[in-house]
Amino acid sequence: MAIVLYSVSGLLYSTLRSQLTQKDEQELRSSMQFQKEMAIAISERQSSEQQWQKELFEYVVQQERLSLRIISPDGKVYSQSKNMRVPQSDFSPPTENFSYRAWRFHEGGHKEKYLITSTHFTLKGHQQWLVQAALNVSKNNEIIEDYYKKMMSVAVLAIVLFAAFGYWLARRGLSPLRTIVAEIEKIRAEDLHARISTQRWPTELNTLAASFDRMMMRLEASFKQLNRFSSDIAHELRGPINNLISAASVTQAKDRSSQEYQETLAAIVEEGERLSRMISSMLFLARADNSREVLTKETVSTTREFERLINFYDVLAEEKNITLTSEGDIRVMADPLLLQRALSNILANAIRHTGENGRIVLTATEDTDMSYLSITDNGEGISAEHLPLIFDRFYRIDAARSLAENTGLGLAIVKTIAELHGGKISVESEPGQGSKFTLALPKK
């Protein structure tokens, strides 16, 4: 704004100065032309040789701004105006075309500016008289300087006013932002449910408020998950540790037979293995959360992977007379070990929740961009209220949370493996009808 204002002011000042200079130049040119015509007319009308010069000078000296000096052909000053301040020697010699220059007078604190020029008058008898003229343009100069000072004062005042208005406008415009900052600073760990988009904000800040609230929702969900995870860790570790302490304490209380020692040691080993599996799963999830789990992708045949799974779990399935079958043969880009672990967790979960004489089918399909590996059972199914939570860590549908073979991390690991591959895990289930878990992996 200041640059524009100064630019406009400078342009106006330059235009005014140029116009006044042109006006002065035109006035000096016109005056000299008029004086020359008058001198020629008077000289031709007078008979006396000196009479026409006197009449000419009496006629031309009656001007306030114009000063003249008339020099005879023999080089003597015939006459000059009383207000002529320019020395004779400061005038440039006459030229064929009209020309002038500026001349300044300084005396004490008094200053004047003149436009000076000289020319020849060829009069009666072909006599060439030198006429020197000085036009006082001091008043015009004073007008310009006065205008410049006033213009600068107005410009400075305008800049101050614009700056004050801009500051006030900026303060007013940023007031909602300061309010948002104040609201955000009030939020503590126990206030993660707070939202700021419920208030009325300017249109420009609505997106910011909505984005902040979405971030708060994610933080709240993460904190809840972390708190639940911490609580579940304490619960899950407490059980095996208490069992270990109890078994050792009871056995230590009195002498036992060799058989009783063997049973106690077997119980301790079982709880130790459970702790080992749990800690291994937690370490895997921690590495995945911190992006430290390295994938080694290669082309995997689903037929071969399904055969390995069926061969491994066939004995466990036979105990409940469950039939394991597979369908589809495609190629999947995945880390073989992680893929096998994900499918094993799903299949083990399916066998655990499928009743006697059940059936489990492993299916492989694909489309243009994705490969789909599904495990479908006709077991007990999952209630709708549990479906959004079954992939959370330590979440169990079973009321009995102490099953040694179930750490509550299996499906959470499946979800993590799917996300590491850039895919996802989904589930469809109906209570009493069975469940279908589908692992979707990108082809590239």
Side-chain angles (χ1 to χ4, degrees), residues 337-368:
L337 295 179
L338 293 182
L339 178 63
Q340 189 178 59
R341 185 172 187 178
L343 294 175
S344 295
N345 287 352
I346 298 174
L347 183 55
N349 194 65
I351 293 174
R352 186 180 306 119
H353 294 282
T354 299
E356 297 286 339
N357 303 316
R359 185 170 184 267
I360 298 176
V361 182
L362 288 72
T363 308
T365 59
E366 63 181 344
D367 58 21
T368 306

PDB file of all heavy atoms in Angstrom, residues 337-368:
ATOM      1  N   LEU A 337       6.510 -65.846   5.067  1.00  0.00           N
ATOM      2  CA  LEU A 337       6.404 -66.149   6.493  1.00  0.00           C
ATOM      3  C   LEU A 337       5.252 -65.388   7.142  1.00  0.00           C
ATOM      4  O   LEU A 337       4.477 -65.962   7.934  1.00  0.00           O
ATOM      5  CB  LEU A 337       7.725 -65.820   7.195  1.00  0.00           C
ATOM      6  CG  LEU A 337       8.929 -66.672   6.783  1.00  0.00           C
ATOM      7  CD1 LEU A 337      10.181 -66.221   7.532  1.00  0.00           C
ATOM      8  CD2 LEU A 337       8.662 -68.156   7.043  1.00  0.00           C
ATOM      9  N   LEU A 338       5.132 -64.100   6.809  1.00  0.00           N
ATOM     10  CA  LEU A 338       4.044 -63.316   7.396  1.00  0.00           C
ATOM     11  C   LEU A 338       2.687 -63.753   6.869  1.00  0.00           C
ATOM     12  O   LEU A 338       1.693 -63.787   7.605  1.00  0.00           O
ATOM     13  CB  LEU A 338       4.265 -61.819   7.121  1.00  0.00           C
ATOM     14  CG  LEU A 338       5.472 -61.174   7.811  1.00  0.00           C
ATOM     15  CD1 LEU A 338       5.529 -59.688   7.475  1.00  0.00           C
ATOM     16  CD2 LEU A 338       5.405 -61.369   9.315  1.00  0.00           C
ATOM     17  N   LEU A 339       2.629 -64.097   5.568  1.00  0.00           N
ATOM     18  CA  LEU A 339       1.364 -64.572   5.003  1.00  0.00           C
ATOM     19  C   LEU A 339       0.940 -65.872   5.678  1.00  0.00           C
ATOM     20  O   LEU A 339      -0.242 -66.054   6.031  1.00  0.00           O
ATOM     21  CB  LEU A 339       1.516 -64.771   3.494  1.00  0.00           C
ATOM     22  CG  LEU A 339       0.287 -65.311   2.768  1.00  0.00           C
ATOM     23  CD1 LEU A 339      -0.870 -64.325   2.881  1.00  0.00           C
ATOM     24  CD2 LEU A 339       0.609 -65.592   1.297  1.00  0.00           C
ATOM     25  N   GLN A 340       1.902 -66.769   5.873  1.00  0.00           N
ATOM     26  CA  GLN A 340       1.595 -68.039   6.536  1.00  0.00           C
ATOM     27  C   GLN A 340       1.133 -67.805   7.972  1.00  0.00           C
ATOM     28  O   GLN A 340       0.198 -68.461   8.456  1.00  0.00           O
ATOM     29  CB  GLN A 340       2.831 -68.939   6.516  1.00  0.00           C
ATOM     30  CG  GLN A 340       2.572 -70.357   6.980  1.00  0.00           C
ATOM     31  CD  GLN A 340       3.825 -71.221   6.894  1.00  0.00           C
ATOM     32  OE1 GLN A 340       4.831 -70.905   7.519  1.00  0.00           O
ATOM     33  NE2 GLN A 340       3.751 -72.288   6.124  1.00  0.00           N
ATOM     34  N   ARG A 341       1.730 -66.857   8.636  1.00  0.00           N
ATOM     35  CA  ARG A 341       1.342 -66.561  10.026  1.00  0.00           C
ATOM     36  C   ARG A 341      -0.079 -66.004  10.092  1.00  0.00           C
ATOM     37  O   ARG A 341      -0.868 -66.387  10.954  1.00  0.00           O
ATOM     38  CB  ARG A 341       2.324 -65.546  10.622  1.00  0.00           C
ATOM     39  CG  ARG A 341       2.072 -65.271  12.094  1.00  0.00           C
ATOM     40  CD  ARG A 341       3.184 -64.424  12.680  1.00  0.00           C
ATOM     41  NE  ARG A 341       3.055 -64.291  14.125  1.00  0.00           N
ATOM     42  CZ  ARG A 341       3.910 -63.632  14.888  1.00  0.00           C
ATOM     43  NH1 ARG A 341       4.972 -63.039  14.346  1.00  0.00           N
ATOM     44  NH2 ARG A 341       3.723 -63.548  16.199  1.00  0.00           N
ATOM     45  N   ALA A 342      -0.414 -65.105   9.149  1.00  0.00           N
ATOM     46  CA  ALA A 342      -1.763 -64.520   9.136  1.00  0.00           C
ATOM     47  C   ALA A 342      -2.812 -65.596   8.870  1.00  0.00           C
ATOM     48  O   ALA A 342      -3.830 -65.692   9.579  1.00  0.00           O
ATOM     49  CB  ALA A 342      -1.837 -63.417   8.085  1.00  0.00           C
ATOM     50  N   LEU A 343      -2.577 -66.414   7.836  1.00  0.00           N
ATOM     51  CA  LEU A 343      -3.546 -67.467   7.508  1.00  0.00           C
ATOM     52  C   LEU A 343      -3.642 -68.498   8.634  1.00  0.00           C
ATOM     53  O   LEU A 343      -4.727 -69.021   8.916  1.00  0.00           O
ATOM     54  CB  LEU A 343      -3.147 -68.141   6.192  1.00  0.00           C
ATOM     55  CG  LEU A 343      -3.225 -67.244   4.939  1.00  0.00           C
ATOM     56  CD1 LEU A 343      -2.696 -68.000   3.727  1.00  0.00           C
ATOM     57  CD2 LEU A 343      -4.655 -66.779   4.691  1.00  0.00           C
ATOM     58  N   SER A 344      -2.518 -68.794   9.288  1.00  0.00           N
ATOM     59  CA  SER A 344      -2.530 -69.753  10.403  1.00  0.00           C
ATOM     60  C   SER A 344      -3.388 -69.228  11.547  1.00  0.00           C
ATOM     61  O   SER A 344      -4.167 -69.996  12.156  1.00  0.00           O
ATOM     62  CB  SER A 344      -1.106 -70.018  10.891  1.00  0.00           C
ATOM     63  OG  SER A 344      -0.338 -70.663   9.905  1.00  0.00           O
ATOM     64  N   ASN A 345      -3.251 -67.944  11.857  1.00  0.00           N
ATOM     65  CA  ASN A 345      -4.050 -67.372  12.951  1.00  0.00           C
ATOM     66  C   ASN A 345      -5.544 -67.454  12.639  1.00  0.00           C
ATOM     67  O   ASN A 345      -6.364 -67.762  13.510  1.00  0.00           O
ATOM     68  CB  ASN A 345      -3.647 -65.917  13.193  1.00  0.00           C
ATOM     69  CG  ASN A 345      -2.298 -65.806  13.871  1.00  0.00           C
ATOM     70  OD1 ASN A 345      -1.720 -66.806  14.290  1.00  0.00           O
ATOM     71  ND2 ASN A 345      -1.791 -64.586  13.991  1.00  0.00           N
ATOM     72  N   ILE A 346      -5.897 -67.131  11.368  1.00  0.00           N
ATOM     73  CA  ILE A 346      -7.320 -67.181  11.000  1.00  0.00           C
ATOM     74  C   ILE A 346      -7.841 -68.618  11.042  1.00  0.00           C
ATOM     75  O   ILE A 346      -8.929 -68.893  11.568  1.00  0.00           O
ATOM     76  CB  ILE A 346      -7.531 -66.576   9.593  1.00  0.00           C
ATOM     77  CG1 ILE A 346      -7.112 -65.099   9.568  1.00  0.00           C
ATOM     78  CG2 ILE A 346      -8.995 -66.696   9.181  1.00  0.00           C
ATOM     79  CD1 ILE A 346      -7.157 -64.470   8.182  1.00  0.00           C
ATOM     80  N   LEU A 347      -7.049 -69.561  10.499  1.00  0.00           N
ATOM     81  CA  LEU A 347      -7.488 -70.960  10.451  1.00  0.00           C
ATOM     82  C   LEU A 347      -7.582 -71.549  11.864  1.00  0.00           C
ATOM     83  O   LEU A 347      -8.548 -72.274  12.174  1.00  0.00           O
ATOM     84  CB  LEU A 347      -6.524 -71.774   9.592  1.00  0.00           C
ATOM     85  CG  LEU A 347      -6.886 -73.241   9.375  1.00  0.00           C
ATOM     86  CD1 LEU A 347      -8.289 -73.377   8.790  1.00  0.00           C
ATOM     87  CD2 LEU A 347      -5.857 -73.924   8.466  1.00  0.00           C
ATOM     88  N   ALA A 348      -6.615 -71.236  12.705  1.00  0.00           N
ATOM     89  CA  ALA A 348      -6.671 -71.741  14.083  1.00  0.00           C
ATOM     90  C   ALA A 348      -7.894 -71.196  14.801  1.00  0.00           C
ATOM     91  O   ALA A 348      -8.563 -71.916  15.567  1.00  0.00           O
ATOM     92  CB  ALA A 348      -5.393 -71.344  14.825  1.00  0.00           C
ATOM     93  N   ASN A 349      -8.197 -69.936  14.543  1.00  0.00           N
ATOM     94  CA  ASN A 349      -9.380 -69.318  15.150  1.00  0.00           C
ATOM     95  C   ASN A 349     -10.658 -69.989  14.638  1.00  0.00           C
ATOM     96  O   ASN A 349     -11.617 -70.226  15.396  1.00  0.00           O
ATOM     97  CB  ASN A 349      -9.391 -67.818  14.821  1.00  0.00           C
ATOM     98  CG  ASN A 349     -10.387 -67.045  15.675  1.00  0.00           C
ATOM     99  OD1 ASN A 349     -10.236 -66.966  16.888  1.00  0.00           O
ATOM    100  ND2 ASN A 349     -11.401 -66.487  15.036  1.00  0.00           N
ATOM    101  N   ALA A 350     -10.670 -70.301  13.322  1.00  0.00           N
ATOM    102  CA  ALA A 350     -11.845 -70.956  12.735  1.00  0.00           C
ATOM    103  C   ALA A 350     -12.040 -72.350  13.330  1.00  0.00           C
ATOM    104  O   ALA A 350     -13.174 -72.752  13.655  1.00  0.00           O
ATOM    105  CB  ALA A 350     -11.687 -71.038  11.218  1.00  0.00           C
ATOM    106  N   ILE A 351     -10.967 -73.134  13.484  1.00  0.00           N
ATOM    107  CA  ILE A 351     -11.082 -74.481  14.063  1.00  0.00           C
ATOM    108  C   ILE A 351     -11.572 -74.390  15.506  1.00  0.00           C
ATOM    109  O   ILE A 351     -12.397 -75.204  15.951  1.00  0.00           O
ATOM    110  CB  ILE A 351      -9.718 -75.201  13.981  1.00  0.00           C
ATOM    111  CG1 ILE A 351      -9.352 -75.478  12.518  1.00  0.00           C
ATOM    112  CG2 ILE A 351      -9.744 -76.497  14.791  1.00  0.00           C
ATOM    113  CD1 ILE A 351      -7.964 -76.062  12.337  1.00  0.00           C
ATOM    114  N   ARG A 352     -11.076 -73.388  16.247  1.00  0.00           N
ATOM    115  CA  ARG A 352     -11.453 -73.243  17.659  1.00  0.00           C
ATOM    116  C   ARG A 352     -12.950 -72.981  17.811  1.00  0.00           C
ATOM    117  O   ARG A 352     -13.580 -73.425  18.769  1.00  0.00           O
ATOM    118  CB  ARG A 352     -10.641 -72.118  18.285  1.00  0.00           C
ATOM    119  CG  ARG A 352     -10.837 -71.962  19.785  1.00  0.00           C
ATOM    120  CD  ARG A 352      -9.997 -70.817  20.347  1.00  0.00           C
ATOM    121  NE  ARG A 352      -8.599 -70.983  19.978  1.00  0.00           N
ATOM    122  CZ  ARG A 352      -7.904 -70.103  19.232  1.00  0.00           C
ATOM    123  NH1 ARG A 352      -8.492 -69.020  18.761  1.00  0.00           N
ATOM    124  NH2 ARG A 352      -6.638 -70.326  18.955  1.00  0.00           N
ATOM    125  N   HIS A 353     -13.538 -72.236  16.842  1.00  0.00           N
ATOM    126  CA  HIS A 353     -14.941 -71.830  16.982  1.00  0.00           C
ATOM    127  C   HIS A 353     -15.881 -72.596  16.037  1.00  0.00           C
ATOM    128  O   HIS A 353     -17.008 -72.150  15.811  1.00  0.00           O
ATOM    129  CB  HIS A 353     -15.066 -70.322  16.725  1.00  0.00           C
ATOM    130  CG  HIS A 353     -14.377 -69.487  17.753  1.00  0.00           C
ATOM    131  ND1 HIS A 353     -14.920 -69.235  18.998  1.00  0.00           N
ATOM    132  CD2 HIS A 353     -13.159 -68.857  17.734  1.00  0.00           C
ATOM    133  CE1 HIS A 353     -14.084 -68.473  19.690  1.00  0.00           C
ATOM    134  NE2 HIS A 353     -13.003 -68.235  18.949  1.00  0.00           N
ATOM    135  N   THR A 354     -15.399 -73.690  15.490  1.00  0.00           N
ATOM    136  CA  THR A 354     -16.258 -74.548  14.655  1.00  0.00           C
ATOM    137  C   THR A 354     -16.537 -75.847  15.411  1.00  0.00           C
ATOM    138  O   THR A 354     -15.624 -76.472  15.967  1.00  0.00           O
ATOM    139  CB  THR A 354     -15.576 -74.859  13.308  1.00  0.00           C
ATOM    140  OG1 THR A 354     -15.355 -73.635  12.610  1.00  0.00           O
ATOM    141  CG2 THR A 354     -16.464 -75.758  12.448  1.00  0.00           C
ATOM    142  N   GLY A 355     -17.792 -76.235  15.432  1.00  0.00           N
ATOM    143  CA  GLY A 355     -18.181 -77.408  16.215  1.00  0.00           C
ATOM    144  C   GLY A 355     -17.861 -78.731  15.515  1.00  0.00           C
ATOM    145  O   GLY A 355     -17.221 -78.768  14.451  1.00  0.00           O
ATOM    146  N   GLU A 356     -18.312 -79.827  16.129  1.00  0.00           N
ATOM    147  CA  GLU A 356     -18.075 -81.166  15.584  1.00  0.00           C
ATOM    148  C   GLU A 356     -18.693 -81.287  14.187  1.00  0.00           C
ATOM    149  O   GLU A 356     -19.748 -80.723  13.901  1.00  0.00           O
ATOM    150  CB  GLU A 356     -18.704 -82.216  16.497  1.00  0.00           C
ATOM    151  CG  GLU A 356     -18.116 -82.283  17.894  1.00  0.00           C
ATOM    152  CD  GLU A 356     -16.754 -82.936  17.899  1.00  0.00           C
ATOM    153  OE1 GLU A 356     -16.442 -83.679  16.937  1.00  0.00           O
ATOM    154  OE2 GLU A 356     -15.981 -82.711  18.868  1.00  0.00           O
ATOM    155  N   ASN A 357     -17.974 -82.036  13.325  1.00  0.00           N
ATOM    156  CA  ASN A 357     -18.436 -82.304  11.949  1.00  0.00           C
ATOM    157  C   ASN A 357     -18.593 -81.024  11.113  1.00  0.00           C
ATOM    158  O   ASN A 357     -19.401 -80.978  10.189  1.00  0.00           O
ATOM    159  CB  ASN A 357     -19.758 -83.078  11.967  1.00  0.00           C
ATOM    160  CG  ASN A 357     -19.649 -84.382  12.731  1.00  0.00           C
ATOM    161  OD1 ASN A 357     -18.676 -85.128  12.576  1.00  0.00           O
ATOM    162  ND2 ASN A 357     -20.631 -84.638  13.589  1.00  0.00           N
ATOM    163  N   GLY A 358     -17.832 -80.036  11.450  1.00  0.00           N
ATOM    164  CA  GLY A 358     -17.905 -78.775  10.703  1.00  0.00           C
ATOM    165  C   GLY A 358     -17.093 -78.817   9.417  1.00  0.00           C
ATOM    166  O   GLY A 358     -16.447 -79.816   9.074  1.00  0.00           O
ATOM    167  N   ARG A 359     -17.130 -77.699   8.698  1.00  0.00           N
ATOM    168  CA  ARG A 359     -16.411 -77.623   7.416  1.00  0.00           C
ATOM    169  C   ARG A 359     -15.763 -76.236   7.304  1.00  0.00           C
ATOM    170  O   ARG A 359     -16.398 -75.216   7.577  1.00  0.00           O
ATOM    171  CB  ARG A 359     -17.375 -77.848   6.254  1.00  0.00           C
ATOM    172  CG  ARG A 359     -16.715 -77.898   4.881  1.00  0.00           C
ATOM    173  CD  ARG A 359     -17.729 -78.373   3.838  1.00  0.00           C
ATOM    174  NE  ARG A 359     -17.102 -78.518   2.532  1.00  0.00           N
ATOM    175  CZ  ARG A 359     -17.079 -77.548   1.596  1.00  0.00           C
ATOM    176  NH1 ARG A 359     -17.669 -76.383   1.827  1.00  0.00           N
ATOM    177  NH2 ARG A 359     -16.484 -77.765   0.437  1.00  0.00           N
ATOM    178  N   ILE A 360     -14.496 -76.220   6.879  1.00  0.00           N
ATOM    179  CA  ILE A 360     -13.752 -74.968   6.675  1.00  0.00           C
ATOM    180  C   ILE A 360     -13.167 -74.996   5.274  1.00  0.00           C
ATOM    181  O   ILE A 360     -12.519 -75.970   4.874  1.00  0.00           O
ATOM    182  CB  ILE A 360     -12.630 -74.803   7.721  1.00  0.00           C
ATOM    183  CG1 ILE A 360     -13.223 -74.737   9.140  1.00  0.00           C
ATOM    184  CG2 ILE A 360     -11.830 -73.536   7.436  1.00  0.00           C
ATOM    185  CD1 ILE A 360     -12.170 -74.670  10.229  1.00  0.00           C
ATOM    186  N   VAL A 361     -13.401 -73.902   4.516  1.00  0.00           N
ATOM    187  CA  VAL A 361     -12.937 -73.821   3.130  1.00  0.00           C
ATOM    188  C   VAL A 361     -11.963 -72.655   2.994  1.00  0.00           C
ATOM    189  O   VAL A 361     -12.258 -71.526   3.398  1.00  0.00           O
ATOM    190  CB  VAL A 361     -14.128 -73.625   2.155  1.00  0.00           C
ATOM    191  CG1 VAL A 361     -13.629 -73.587   0.717  1.00  0.00           C
ATOM    192  CG2 VAL A 361     -15.148 -74.744   2.335  1.00  0.00           C
ATOM    193  N   LEU A 362     -10.798 -72.922   2.391  1.00  0.00           N
ATOM    194  CA  LEU A 362      -9.802 -71.903   2.083  1.00  0.00           C
ATOM    195  C   LEU A 362      -9.932 -71.567   0.599  1.00  0.00           C
ATOM    196  O   LEU A 362      -9.798 -72.454  -0.253  1.00  0.00           O
ATOM    197  CB  LEU A 362      -8.390 -72.391   2.391  1.00  0.00           C
ATOM    198  CG  LEU A 362      -7.999 -72.518   3.880  1.00  0.00           C
ATOM    199  CD1 LEU A 362      -8.699 -73.711   4.536  1.00  0.00           C
ATOM    200  CD2 LEU A 362      -6.476 -72.650   4.026  1.00  0.00           C
ATOM    201  N   THR A 363     -10.198 -70.306   0.278  1.00  0.00           N
ATOM    202  CA  THR A 363     -10.488 -69.907  -1.097  1.00  0.00           C
ATOM    203  C   THR A 363      -9.543 -68.795  -1.541  1.00  0.00           C
ATOM    204  O   THR A 363      -9.240 -67.877  -0.772  1.00  0.00           O
ATOM    205  CB  THR A 363     -11.947 -69.409  -1.227  1.00  0.00           C
ATOM    206  OG1 THR A 363     -12.822 -70.396  -0.674  1.00  0.00           O
ATOM    207  CG2 THR A 363     -12.310 -69.145  -2.674  1.00  0.00           C
ATOM    208  N   ALA A 364      -9.100 -68.851  -2.815  1.00  0.00           N
ATOM    209  CA  ALA A 364      -8.252 -67.806  -3.402  1.00  0.00           C
ATOM    210  C   ALA A 364      -8.905 -67.283  -4.672  1.00  0.00           C
ATOM    211  O   ALA A 364      -9.228 -68.067  -5.579  1.00  0.00           O
ATOM    212  CB  ALA A 364      -6.865 -68.360  -3.716  1.00  0.00           C
ATOM    213  N   THR A 365      -9.144 -65.971  -4.734  1.00  0.00           N
ATOM    214  CA  THR A 365      -9.699 -65.315  -5.930  1.00  0.00           C
ATOM    215  C   THR A 365      -8.915 -64.026  -6.174  1.00  0.00           C
ATOM    216  O   THR A 365      -8.107 -63.601  -5.330  1.00  0.00           O
ATOM    217  CB  THR A 365     -11.193 -64.991  -5.753  1.00  0.00           C
ATOM    218  OG1 THR A 365     -11.356 -64.134  -4.611  1.00  0.00           O
ATOM    219  CG2 THR A 365     -12.011 -66.251  -5.572  1.00  0.00           C
ATOM    220  N   GLU A 366      -9.191 -63.393  -7.309  1.00  0.00           N
ATOM    221  CA  GLU A 366      -8.488 -62.148  -7.637  1.00  0.00           C
ATOM    222  C   GLU A 366      -9.320 -61.318  -8.599  1.00  0.00           C
ATOM    223  O   GLU A 366     -10.221 -61.812  -9.283  1.00  0.00           O
ATOM    224  CB  GLU A 366      -7.120 -62.448  -8.245  1.00  0.00           C
ATOM    225  CG  GLU A 366      -7.156 -63.205  -9.556  1.00  0.00           C
ATOM    226  CD  GLU A 366      -5.772 -63.500 -10.108  1.00  0.00           C
ATOM    227  OE1 GLU A 366      -4.812 -62.871  -9.641  1.00  0.00           O
ATOM    228  OE2 GLU A 366      -5.668 -64.365 -10.995  1.00  0.00           O
ATOM    229  N   ASP A 367      -8.982 -60.025  -8.657  1.00  0.00           N
ATOM    230  CA  ASP A 367      -9.525 -59.151  -9.693  1.00  0.00           C
ATOM    231  C   ASP A 367      -8.361 -58.379 -10.299  1.00  0.00           C
ATOM    232  O   ASP A 367      -7.205 -58.819 -10.196  1.00  0.00           O
ATOM    233  CB  ASP A 367     -10.607 -58.218  -9.129  1.00  0.00           C
ATOM    234  CG  ASP A 367     -10.108 -57.349  -7.977  1.00  0.00           C
ATOM    235  OD1 ASP A 367      -8.875 -57.165  -7.859  1.00  0.00           O
ATOM    236  OD2 ASP A 367     -10.940 -56.845  -7.200  1.00  0.00           O
ATOM    237  N   THR A 368      -8.623 -57.252 -10.895  1.00  0.00           N
ATOM    238  CA  THR A 368      -7.571 -56.533 -11.615  1.00  0.00           C
ATOM    239  C   THR A 368      -6.441 -56.075 -10.700  1.00  0.00           C
ATOM    240  O   THR A 368      -5.256 -56.168 -11.055  1.00  0.00           O
ATOM    241  CB  THR A 368      -8.166 -55.296 -12.325  1.00  0.00           C
ATOM    242  OG1 THR A 368      -9.255 -55.709 -13.144  1.00  0.00           O
ATOM    243  CG2 THR A 368      -7.111 -54.610 -13.181  1.00  0.00           C
TER     244      THR A 368
END
